[in-house]
Coordinates of all heavy atoms in Angstrom, one line a residue:
T1 N 0.8 -1.2 0.0 CA 0.0 0.0 0.0 C 0.8 1.3 0.0 O 0.3 2.3 0.3 CB -0.9 0.0 1.2 OG1 -0.2 -0.2 2.4 CG2 -2.0 -1.1 1.1
G2 N 2.1 1.2 -0.3 CA 3.0 2.3 -0.3 C 3.5 2.7 1.0 O 3.4 1.9 2.0
P3 N 4.0 3.9 1.1 CA 4.7 4.3 2.4 C 3.6 4.7 3.5 O 3.5 5.9 3.8 CB 5.5 5.5 2.0 CG 4.8 6.1 0.8 CD 4.2 4.9 0.1
S4 N 2.9 3.8 3.9 CA 1.9 4.0 4.9 C 2.0 3.0 6.0 O 2.7 2.0 5.8 CB 0.5 3.9 4.3 OG 0.2 2.6 4.0
P5 N 1.5 3.2 7.2 CA 1.6 2.3 8.3 C 1.0 0.9 7.9 O 1.5 -0.2 8.4 CB 0.7 2.8 9.4 CG 0.7 4.3 9.1 CD 0.7 4.4 7.6
R6 N 0.1 0.8 7.0 CA -0.5 -0.5 6.6 C 0.4 -1.3 5.6 O 0.2 -2.5 5.4 CB -1.8 -0.2 5.9 CG -2.6 -1.4 5.5 CD -4.0 -1.2 5.6 NE -4.7 -2.3 4.9 CZ -4.8 -3.6 5.3 NH1 -4.3 -3.9 6.5 NH2 -5.4 -4.5 4.7
D7 N 1.4 -0.6 5.0 CA 2.3 -1.3 4.1 C 3.3 -2.2 4.9 O 4.2 -1.7 5.6 CB 3.1 -0.3 3.3 CG 4.0 -1.0 2.3 OD1 3.8 -2.2 2.0 OD2 5.0 -0.4 1.8
V8 N 3.0 -3.5 4.8 CA 3.9 -4.5 5.6 C 4.6 -5.5 4.7 O 5.2 -6.4 5.2 CB 3.0 -5.2 6.6 CG1 2.5 -4.3 7.7 CG2 1.9 -6.0 6.0
T9 N 4.5 -5.3 3.4 CA 5.1 -6.2 2.5 C 6.6 -6.4 2.7 O 7.1 -7.5 2.8 CB 4.8 -5.8 1.0 OG1 3.4 -5.8 0.8 CG2 5.4 -6.8 0.0
P10 N 7.4 -5.3 2.8 CA 8.8 -5.5 3.0 C 9.1 -6.2 4.3 O 10.0 -7.1 4.3 CB 9.3 -4.0 3.1 CG 8.4 -3.2 2.3 CD 7.0 -3.9 2.6
E11 N 8.4 -5.9 5.4 CA 8.7 -6.6 6.7 C 8.3 -8.0 6.6 O 9.0 -8.9 7.1 CB 7.9 -5.8 7.8 CG 8.5 -4.5 8.1 CD 8.0 -3.4 7.2 OE1 7.1 -3.6 6.4 OE2 8.5 -2.2 7.3
A12 N 7.2 -8.3 6.0 CA 6.7 -9.7 5.9 C 7.7 -10.5 5.0 O 8.0 -11.7 5.3 CB 5.4 -9.8 5.3
T13 N 8.3 -9.9 4.0 CA 9.2 -10.6 3.1 C 10.5 -10.8 3.9 O 11.0 -12.0 3.8 CB 9.5 -9.7 1.9 OG1 8.2 -9.5 1.2 CG2 10.4 -10.4 0.9
E14 N 11.0 -9.8 4.6 CA 12.3 -10.0 5.3 C 12.2 -11.1 6.4 O 13.1 -11.8 6.7 CB 12.7 -8.7 6.0 CG 13.2 -7.7 5.0 CD 13.6 -6.3 5.6 OE1 13.5 -6.2 6.8 OE2 13.9 -5.4 4.8
E15 N 11.0 -11.2 7.0 CA 10.8 -12.2 8.0 C 11.1 -13.6 7.6 O 11.5 -14.5 8.4 CB 9.3 -12.2 8.6 CG 9.1 -11.3 9.7 CD 7.7 -11.5 10.3 OE1 7.0 -12.4 9.9 OE2 7.4 -10.6 11.1
V16 N 10.9 -13.9 6.3 CA 11.0 -15.3 5.9 C 12.2 -15.5 4.9 O 12.4 -16.6 4.4 CB 9.7 -15.8 5.2 CG1 8.6 -15.8 6.2 CG2 9.3 -15.0 4.0
C17 N 12.9 -14.5 4.7 CA 14.0 -14.6 3.7 C 15.3 -15.2 4.3 O 15.6 -14.9 5.5 CB 14.4 -13.2 3.2 SG 13.3 -12.6 1.9
E18 N 16.0 -16.0 3.6 CA 17.2 -16.5 4.0 C 18.4 -15.7 3.5 O 19.4 -15.6 4.1 CB 17.5 -18.0 3.5 CG 16.6 -19.0 4.2 CD 16.8 -20.4 3.6 OE1 17.8 -20.6 2.9 OE2 15.9 -21.2 3.9
K19 N 18.1 -15.0 2.4 CA 19.1 -14.1 1.8 C 18.5 -12.9 1.2 O 17.6 -13.0 0.4 CB 19.9 -14.9 0.7 CG 21.1 -14.1 0.2 CD 21.9 -14.9 -0.7 CE 22.6 -15.9 0.2 NZ 24.1 -16.0 0.0
I20 N 18.9 -11.7 1.6 CA 18.5 -10.4 1.1 C 19.6 -9.9 0.1 O 20.8 -10.1 0.4 CB 18.3 -9.4 2.2 CG1 17.3 -9.9 3.3 CG2 17.9 -8.0 1.6 CD1 15.9 -9.9 2.9
L21 N 19.1 -9.4 -1.0 CA 20.1 -8.8 -2.0 C 20.3 -7.3 -1.7 O 19.5 -6.5 -2.3 CB 19.6 -9.1 -3.4 CG 19.4 -10.5 -3.8 CD1 18.8 -10.6 -5.2 CD2 20.7 -11.3 -3.7
P22 N 21.3 -6.9 -0.9 CA 21.4 -5.5 -0.6 C 21.7 -4.7 -1.9 O 22.4 -5.1 -2.8 CB 22.7 -5.5 0.2 CG 22.8 -6.9 0.8 CD 22.3 -7.8 -0.3
G23 N 21.1 -3.6 -2.0 CA 21.2 -2.7 -3.1 C 20.3 -2.9 -4.3 O 20.1 -2.1 -5.2
F24 N 19.7 -4.1 -4.3 CA 18.8 -4.4 -5.4 C 17.6 -3.5 -5.5 O 17.3 -3.0 -6.6 CB 18.3 -5.9 -5.3 CG 17.7 -6.4 -6.5 CD1 18.4 -6.8 -7.6 CD2 16.3 -6.5 -6.6 CE1 17.9 -7.4 -8.7 CE2 15.7 -7.0 -7.8 CZ 16.5 -7.4 -8.8
G25 N 17.0 -3.2 -4.4 CA 15.8 -2.3 -4.3 C 16.2 -0.9 -4.8 O 15.5 -0.2 -5.5
E26 N 17.4 -0.4 -4.3 CA 17.9 0.9 -4.7 C 18.1 1.0 -6.2 O 17.8 2.1 -6.8 CB 19.2 1.2 -3.9 CG 19.0 1.5 -2.4 CD 18.7 0.3 -1.6 OE1 18.9 -0.8 -2.1 OE2 18.3 0.4 -0.4
K27 N 18.6 0.0 -6.8 CA 18.9 0.0 -8.2 C 17.5 0.1 -9.0 O 17.4 0.8 -9.9 CB 19.7 -1.2 -8.6 CG 20.0 -1.3 -10.1 CD 20.8 -0.1 -10.6 CE 21.2 -0.2 -12.0 NZ 21.8 0.9 -12.5
M28 N 16.6 -0.7 -8.5 CA 15.3 -0.7 -9.2 C 14.6 0.7 -9.1 O 14.0 1.2 -10.0 CB 14.4 -1.8 -8.6 CG 14.8 -3.2 -8.9 SD 13.7 -4.5 -8.4 CE 12.5 -3.9 -7.3
R29 N 14.7 1.3 -7.9 CA 14.1 2.6 -7.7 C 14.9 3.6 -8.6 O 14.2 4.5 -9.2 CB 14.2 3.0 -6.2 CG 13.1 2.4 -5.4 CD 13.0 3.0 -4.0 NE 14.1 2.4 -3.2 CZ 14.1 1.2 -2.6 NH1 13.1 0.4 -2.8 NH2 15.1 0.8 -1.9
A30 N 16.2 3.6 -8.7 CA 16.9 4.5 -9.5 C 16.5 4.4 -11.0 O 16.3 5.5 -11.6 CB 18.4 4.2 -9.4
V31 N 16.3 3.2 -11.5 CA 15.9 3.1 -12.9 C 14.4 3.6 -13.0 O 14.1 4.3 -14.0 CB 16.0 1.6 -13.3 CG1 15.3 1.4 -14.6 CG2 17.4 1.2 -13.4
S32 N 13.6 3.3 -12.0 CA 12.2 3.7 -12.1 C 12.1 5.2 -12.0 O 11.1 5.8 -12.6 CB 11.4 3.1 -10.9 OG 11.3 1.7 -11.0
L33 N 13.0 5.9 -11.4 CA 12.9 7.4 -11.3 C 13.0 8.1 -12.6 O 12.5 9.2 -12.8 CB 14.1 7.9 -10.4 CG 13.8 7.9 -8.9 CD1 15.1 8.3 -8.1 CD2 12.7 8.9 -8.6
T34 N 13.6 7.4 -13.6 CA 13.6 8.0 -15.0 C 12.2 8.0 -15.6 O 12.0 8.7 -16.6 CB 14.6 7.3 -15.9 OG1 14.2 5.9 -16.1 CG2 16.0 7.3 -15.3
Y35 N 11.3 7.2 -15.1 CA 9.9 7.1 -15.6 C 8.9 7.7 -14.7 O 7.9 8.2 -15.2 CB 9.6 5.6 -15.9 CG 10.5 5.0 -16.9 CD1 11.5 4.1 -16.4 CD2 10.5 5.1 -18.2 CE1 12.4 3.5 -17.2 CE2 11.3 4.5 -19.1 CZ 12.3 3.7 -18.6 OH 13.2 3.1 -19.4
V36 N 9.1 7.5 -13.4 CA 8.0 7.9 -12.4 C 8.7 8.7 -11.3 O 9.5 8.2 -10.6 CB 7.4 6.6 -11.8 CG1 6.3 7.0 -10.8 CG2 6.9 5.7 -12.8
P37 N 8.4 10.0 -11.2 CA 9.0 10.8 -10.2 C 8.8 10.4 -8.8 O 9.6 10.8 -7.9 CB 8.4 12.2 -10.5 CG 7.4 12.1 -11.5 CD 7.4 10.7 -12.0
T38 N 7.8 9.7 -8.5 CA 7.5 9.3 -7.1 C 8.1 7.9 -6.8 O 7.8 7.4 -5.7 CB 6.0 9.3 -6.8 OG1 5.3 8.4 -7.8 CG2 5.4 10.7 -6.9

């Protein structure tokens, strides 16, 4: 649900992950910024 208190997707995902790919989300956001300012 975006940056709201109800948005729990990242926390739920991290709870069950054995391996997180650091920097992957930042790279995806950087590319997305060229298309979507938010």
Side-chain angles (χ1 to χ4, degrees):
T1 55
S4 70
R6 184 149 165 70
D7 181 17
V8 294
T9 302
E11 291 81 8
T13 303
E14 287 179 4
E15 268 187 13
V16 298
C17 282
E18 291 180 15
K19 186 169 291 231
I20 303 284
L21 300 175
F24 194 78
E26 287 76 11
K27 180 63 176 174
M28 290 183 353
R29 281 186 286 279
V31 170
S32 295
L33 274 173
T34 62
Y35 303 100
V36 181
T38 57

